[in-house]
Amino acid sequence: MIVPRSKHFSPRRSKLEALVNVVLMGGVVSALSYHCRLHGRLGVTRHAIALPAAKRLARPLKLAFASDFHAGPPTHAGIFRDLFERIAAEQPDVLLMGGDYVSGPAANAAVLGPALAACRPPLGKFAVLGNHDLSTDDGDICRRFEAAGVQMLVNRALALPAPFGNVAICGMDDPWTGEPDGAATFAGADADKVRVLLMHAPDGLLYLDGRGYDLAFAGHTHGGQIALPGGTPLVLPAGPLSRPYHYGRFPVRGNGDLIVSRGVGCSRIPVRINADPELVICTVQ
């Protein structure tokens, strides 16, 4: 029997997931929601990042960031097809993924495998885990992703291939349910490198231990998933920084900007209102 790694896992939570599956009729409700466009319209949000002169890159680096897939009963697989079609059209150098790949069992990640394997950005695919992933067999998710060519970052950093060897992707374990380690996350990524911090939730900022980054990405919040006109979220997930960093691009004192995505899929209920799913495209130079 697999014991989930989540610090907040309980059998009660597992039973709740099973109940949600029953209520959603194993995906029938999410299929209806998707075809009625209640999953929202997947869009592309663009950012341009200008690095300090001392770290300026030889040419622009195009990063794609997607988070919160929630493969399982709450999210119809059609939204993943839409996402990977957008990624292919954008032709990024790197694909970054911010966790929560499943809702429910790890086996739900199987639906992502073929599209992930077919997606081949020239400088690689990198991913961290989210709280939903740690509430199931995260090892199984990692094996599936690695088979599709994804490099899983759990408190570790990897440098990009040439000509961007001075850029390091620093992936932190989920700050809410995992074991985030700021020192390990940045180990091997010297301060003179361009450090791109990849984390599931904005709360990862609380575990930096004084270490700096040049650009950070997070998800987790869904932008509320259901929000008022204008984007003010009605409900947000757990975490002390979920509300102040609920969606958008934020300057962080002593660091680079933090970009928080609304994510792709749906959690619990297969509906998004005023919080459309998105692919983030960030051009760094």
Side-chain angles (χ1 to χ4, degrees), residues 95-116:
L95 174 61
L96 305 176
M97 293 182 289
D100 274 7
Y101 307 108
V102 299
S103 283
N108 289 340
V111 71
L112 303 173
L116 268 178

Side-chain angles (χ1 to χ4, degrees), residues 120-167:
R120 296 178 181 176
L123 300 183
K125 299 172 282 192
F126 303 86
V128 294
L129 296 166
N131 55 292
H132 281 261
D133 307 319
L134 298 189
S135 294
T136 182
D137 185 354
D138 63 298
D140 183 44
I141 294 173
C142 288
R143 287 188 291 272
R144 292 176 186 274
F145 275 37
E146 287 165 351
V150 179
Q151 299 193 73
M152 303 302 296
L153 302 179
V154 181
N155 295 326
R156 69 179 183 129
L158 289 175
L160 293 181
F164 295 106
N166 64 324
V167 178

Side-chain angles (χ1 to χ4, degrees), residues 251-267:
V252 178
R253 182 178 297 178
N255 276 296
D257 287 355
L258 166 65
I259 295 173
V260 181
S261 170
R262 289 188 297 252
V264 176
C266 299
S267 180

Side-chain angles (χ1 to χ4, degrees), residues 27-135:
V28 173
V29 176
S30 65
L32 179 62
S33 169
Y34 173 78
H35 290 297
C36 291
R37 296 184 175 176
L38 294 177
H39 274 32
R41 289 176 176 269
L42 181 81
V44 176
T45 303
R46 302 182 189 278
H47 299 274
I49 301 293
L51 295 170
K55 293 188 175 184
R56 195 65 50 85
L57 303 179
R59 68 168 176 84
L61 174 65
K62 190 174 185 179
L63 305 173
F65 174 63
S67 187
D68 300 277
F69 293 63
H70 290 283
T75 304
H76 184 60
I79 199 73
F80 307 139
R81 181 185 63 246
D82 299 341
L83 171 69
F84 284 101
E85 286 177 355
R86 288 293 185 100
I87 293 172
E90 290 291 333
Q91 297 184 318
D93 296 308
V94 176
L95 174 61
L96 305 176
M97 293 182 289
D100 274 7
Y101 307 108
V102 299
S103 283
N108 289 340
V111 71
L112 303 173
L116 268 178
C119 177
R120 296 178 181 176
L123 300 183
K125 299 172 282 192
F126 303 86
V128 294
L129 296 166
N131 55 292
H132 281 261
D133 307 319
L134 298 189
S135 294

